[in-house]
Amino acid sequence: MSLLALLPNLARLGRAGFVMAREGALRLADPIELPPSVRALIRIGRLFEKRSAKDGAEGLARALQQLGPSYVKLGQFLATRPDVVGLEVAHDLERLHDRVEPFPQDVAEAAVAEALGAPVSERFLVFGPAVAAASIAQVHRATIRTVDGFERDVAVKVLRPGVARRFQRDLRAFFGVARWVDKHVPKARRLKPVEVVDTLARSVSIEMDLRLEAAALSEIAENTAADPGFRVPSIDWERTARGVLTLDWVDGVKLADHEALAAAGHDLPALGRHLMQTFLRHAMRDGFFHADMHPGNLFVDAAGAIVAVDFGITGRLGKKERRFLAEILHGFIVRDYRRIAEVHFEAGYVPPDESVEEFARALRAIGEPIHSRTADQISMAKLLTLLFEVTELFRMQTRPELLMLQKTMVVVEGVARSLDPKLDMWRTAEPVVREWIERNLGPIGIAETANDEVRKLVLGVSRLPELLLRVERTSIEMEEVVRGGLSYSEDSIREIVKGVQRATIIGSLALGVVAAVLVAIVLW
């Protein structure tokens, strides 16, 4: 890359460094781990530190807030990666607010018209001013006419014009820093800084295509269609595009407005329990959950149902991760620390050369203090945080999906406790965990797992003829190559070919045996 191409990135990074220095963020840097030239720059940077600068973690949060939307997104993303920035810094970064001034009404209407391919007046009866604005998009209240002639209020989310270009520009600078750290700070390589920025880039790119948010919302709507007391707004696909998302308007009380909730006759402690169980059910049963469940994204409608909005950030857990979550929570509930340890090894999260017994003892040191506390002092999110701290000692590999779960659980638990300060987390979680274990690890779950394995086996058997044909082709090609250029004897060639043919015969016999076993299973 030429020097001229590098200059804009250097200028942006220089400004970012100056702001961080002013706010005291450079205190977080460990000079021992850095090259001498960088240590000198940090010493110089500290000279610009304001007298009113806060401690390093809080100073970093303030600096990112000042640097703008891209840096706020970076900070919010790093808040989900305590393995990279540490628990204290991650906690402070969780307080970052993504709020900016809305862009003008005429710009919003032009963006909607371009995205939907028609003037706003043709798609909406009324298109009101912005009611909320963030770095990536803002929301307008509008009115449409339905196919049956009725008027209906909708929420229209509009992507901020030019936001993708600005984020790409800043991401290039982030990648430059990550590559430099990866090259010059050996001890930081285990944190995979380039991969961290790459994950951020993918996350932002998903948020910038509002069709993907609509798809996530649709999937959660399907998963929760039969769940009482929870819903999401329906999507108006006709008025949804890459840069525009149109949903039903939510008439309800914000979950953060406790006075209004009480005035409307809602049971606040019951809402707290229901919110926690809803989140766990989505994570464990469905493996797909809303990962930005702060109070501003949650409402309560007149019927008492929780309504969730803004699905720009979601988390996904595979069957392996869901089983892991269920078994460790159940293990802590029943105080079976040996089983919790075994689950970590079975999942392959902890290297096999570590001691199961020592790991179980470390888990006991986490679990026993929890059981000696009162219900309102038990924090499931804190438990997972302590668990990740202990697993680092046993070389557990970082699991981003579990960190996302832990970060979301911290938020959900905080919201639930604000509704009921005496919320008993174990008693609240136990029915959901027990239901999952009985359903997935009981007779029905075992039968379904066996059925899945049989299907995989049948698929493998169906591919065996193709594999055997490849073996025969390989034997012919090998014979031709040897005859054409390698000095093997005729006897050697014959033996090689015979060996391949024997393997083909054995493979055919194996195919017959497997097929016979499958027939026997089906008939049985």
Side-chain angles (χ1 to χ4, degrees):
M1 186 178 290
S2 68
L3 180 60
L4 287 176
L6 283 172
L7 284 177
N9 284 343
L10 291 175
R12 281 190 287 272
L13 290 174
R15 174 178 173 268
F18 177 76
V19 173
M20 290 185 184
R22 289 280 291 164
E23 295 297 336
L26 297 184
R27 299 178 193 176
L28 291 171
D30 185 356
I32 297 176
E33 307 292 340
L34 299 172
S37 58
V38 179
R39 289 183 221 167
L41 285 174
I42 288 176
R43 282 196 297 270
I44 295 171
R46 293 290 303 273
L47 298 176
F48 295 94
E49 194 173 286
K50 295 191 302 187
R51 291 185 179 180
S52 61
K54 304 295 183 182
D55 64 81
E58 189 174 344
L60 175 61
R62 291 182 58 168
L64 293 175
Q65 194 81 55
Q66 290 181 37
L67 287 167
S70 301
Y71 288 86
V72 169
K73 278 292 176 189
L74 174 65
Q76 290 174 331
F77 175 75
L78 291 177
T80 70
R81 298 296 304 269
D83 58 313
V84 175
V85 297
L87 290 170
E88 181 186 353
V89 174
H91 178 69
D92 278 309
L93 292 179
E94 286 174 358
R95 303 171 187 171
L96 283 170
H97 299 295
D98 186 9
R99 298 193 188 100
V100 296
E101 288 296 315
F103 49 90
Q105 180 77 4
D106 59 335
V107 175
E109 292 185 10
V112 171
E114 182 180 359
L116 300 183
V120 169
S121 58
E122 289 186 13
R123 295 303 185 112
F124 302 93
L125 296 175
V126 178
F127 191 86
V131 295
S135 58
I136 288 181
Q138 65 188 34
V139 177
H140 295 253
R141 184 169 186 166
T143 305
I144 63 171
R145 190 178 301 281
T146 62
V147 291
D148 49 12
F150 293 101
E151 293 185 5
R152 189 174 86 235
D153 286 345
V154 292
V156 185
K157 188 173 184 178
V158 186
L159 204 65
R160 187 174 287 270
V163 67
R165 184 174 63 255
R166 289 195 295 274
F167 268 95
Q168 286 302 318
R169 181 190 64 198
D170 288 331
L171 283 169
R172 284 195 293 270
F174 296 162
F175 271 115
V177 173
R179 293 189 186 98
W180 186 91
V181 170
D182 191 56
K183 182 177 180 180
H184 297 284
V185 189
K187 289 192 176 181
R189 287 173 191 158
R190 69 176 184 83
L191 301 176
K192 302 176 181 178
V194 177
E195 287 188 23
V196 168
V197 177
D198 187 56
T199 303
L200 170 65
R202 289 199 304 272
S203 173
V204 169
S205 67
I206 290 173
E207 284 193 70
M208 289 186 189
D209 188 338
L210 298 182
R211 295 169 300 184
L212 298 179
E213 180 177 342
L217 196 152
S218 176
E219 182 176 347
I220 287 184
E222 287 183 8
N223 292 342
T224 62
D227 291 358
F230 179 85
R231 67 180 180 88
V232 295
S234 59
I235 307 162
D236 184 344
W237 287 103
E238 184 183 347
R239 295 173 178 83
T240 292
R242 182 184 183 89
V244 176
L245 171 62
T246 304
L247 308 168
D248 277 348
W249 182 264
V250 176
D251 280 316
V253 181
K254 281 194 174 183
L255 204 59
D257 192 344
H258 296 175
E259 289 186 6
L261 289 172
H266 298 300
D267 184 338
L268 270 63
L271 283 173
R273 291 191 299 272
H274 181 53
L275 177 66
M276 196 70 208
Q277 290 180 340
T278 294
F279 166 70
L280 288 173
R281 195 171 289 114
H282 295 176
M284 296 174 62
R285 181 194 64 192
D286 307 326
F288 190 54
F289 58 92
H290 192 321
D292 194 17
M293 295 182 74
H294 63 76
N297 287 339
L298 299 168
F299 297 82
V300 180
D301 66 16
I306 293 175
V307 187
V309 299
D310 194 354
F311 286 78
I313 304 174
T314 54
R316 194 177 292 276
L317 299 176
K319 285 186 177 180
K320 177 180 174 181
E321 289 78 24
R322 281 182 267 170
R323 177 169 182 167
F324 172 79
L325 174 64
E327 291 218 55
I328 63 171
L329 289 179
H330 185 260
F332 277 114
I333 290 171
V334 301
R335 303 164 92 163
D336 188 349
Y337 304 112
R338 169 80 186 195
R339 180 57 193 153
I340 303 172
E342 290 172 347
V343 168
H344 281 78
F345 283 85
E346 289 170 6
Y349 293 162
V350 176
D353 58 339
E354 294 286 353
S355 167
V356 176
E357 291 75 16
E358 289 301 314
F359 191 30
R361 183 172 68 161
L363 294 170
R364 182 180 292 275
I366 297 172
E368 286 305 303
I370 290 175
H371 285 281
S372 65
R373 295 175 182 173
T374 58
D376 60 318
Q377 294 177 323
I378 296 174
S379 167
M380 199 177 303
K382 180 66 173 177
L383 169 68
L384 288 180
T385 301
L386 292 172
L387 178 63
F388 292 151
E389 285 182 4
V390 166
T391 52
E392 283 184 17
L393 300 176
F394 292 84
R395 298 182 293 150
M396 175 175 166
Q397 292 296 309
T398 298
R399 307 295 305 182
E401 65 274 25
L402 294 177
L403 289 170
M404 175 70 81
L405 174 81
Q406 182 265 344
K407 175 255 183 186
T408 309
M409 191 174 287
V410 168
V411 175
V412 174
E413 187 175 306
V415 176
R417 283 201 188 279
S418 72
L419 295 164
D420 181 11
K422 295 184 178 180
L423 182 66
D424 186 335
M425 284 298 167
W426 285 139
R427 186 171 295 178
T428 301
E430 195 270 338
V432 181
V433 176
R434 186 182 68 248
E435 177 187 355
W436 191 94
I437 288 177
E438 290 175 354
R439 176 67 181 76
N440 292 273
L441 303 184
I444 295 176
I446 292 172
E448 289 181 349
T449 301
N451 186 47
D452 290 342
E453 293 303 320
V454 169
R455 286 180 182 176
K456 291 177 184 177
L457 186 58
V458 170
L459 181 61
V461 169
S462 69
R463 291 175 177 171
L464 272 177
E466 180 185 351
L467 177 62
L468 297 174
L469 182 61
R470 288 180 181 177
V471 170
E472 289 191 77
R473 287 175 180 168
T474 302
S475 69
I476 295 170
E477 291 170 1
M478 185 186 300
E479 183 176 0
E480 290 176 352
V481 168
V482 172
R483 288 186 186 280
L486 297 178
S487 57
Y488 281 118
S489 67
E490 291 289 335
D491 290 340
S492 297
I493 294 171
R494 280 194 293 272
E495 288 301 317
I496 291 171
V497 172
K498 285 179 181 178
V500 174
Q501 289 172 340
R502 281 197 299 272
T504 303
I505 294 170
I506 293 171
S508 300
L509 291 173
L511 173 60
V513 171
V514 171
V517 170
L518 287 175
V519 170
I521 290 173
V522 172
L523 293 176
W524 183 79

